[in-house]
Amino acid sequence: MAEDSPKRRKANFNEAETEVLIEQVLKHEQLLFAAGPGRASPGQKRKVWELIRHKVNPVAACPRDVEDLKKRWRDLKRRDRSKLCRLSQGCGPPGPAAALGLLLAPEEMPPAASPAR
């Protein structure tokens, strides 16, 4: 039979949680996402995500685990990239592409959205 109480989903991330998550991931970006021979081991990455979790949870609406944080980060990147792609194709609202590309590295930006050098 089913459990007595239905499983409830967690509350949405609030603005403070999202800001802390972005700040901490960008601070540790090299350790978390670097490729090549100098990349961090899975154990090191796990420790960094735990550190980020400890920074996010004091401002969180409900306790977050590492998987919640990783999923939120992936969703933020995906949403940001899709907005930037729509903008570069002329399908989005007019505005500076750099404002939408806050989470993108310069080499990930499409040529039309890259700042002039």
Side-chain angles (χ1 to χ4, degrees):
M1 273 283 171
E3 294 178 0
D4 291 338
S5 61
K7 184 176 179 180
R8 296 186 55 157
R9 68 179 189 89
K10 291 185 177 181
N12 291 342
F13 275 72
N14 61 37
E15 191 173 324
E17 290 173 276
T18 302
E19 286 179 16
V20 172
L21 175 63
I22 290 170
E23 174 188 313
Q24 291 299 311
V25 170
L26 292 178
K27 180 178 177 181
H28 300 287
E29 186 175 25
Q30 188 65 32
L31 274 174
L32 293 172
F33 307 116
R39 68 178 180 252
S41 70
Q44 290 171 315
K45 290 180 184 182
R46 195 174 321 113
K47 287 180 184 177
V48 172
W49 280 110
E50 283 294 326
L51 173 73
I52 294 171
R53 183 179 67 86
H54 286 294
K55 300 277 186 168
V56 170
N57 275 339
V59 297
C62 64
R64 305 290 183 185
D65 57 24
V66 170
E67 289 307 312
D68 295 334
L69 299 176
K70 287 180 178 181
K71 182 180 185 310
R72 177 65 174 163
W73 178 253
R74 283 190 304 266
D75 289 348
L76 286 169
K77 284 195 322 184
R78 180 184 42 78
R79 185 180 66 195
D80 192 57
R81 284 187 179 142
S82 67
K83 283 182 184 177
L84 187 60
C85 180
R86 282 194 311 265
L87 180 67
S88 68
Q89 294 172 355
C91 302
L100 295 176
L102 294 175
L103 299 178
L104 296 178
E107 60 272 7
E108 294 176 315
M109 303 262 293
S114 297
R117 292 183 184 190

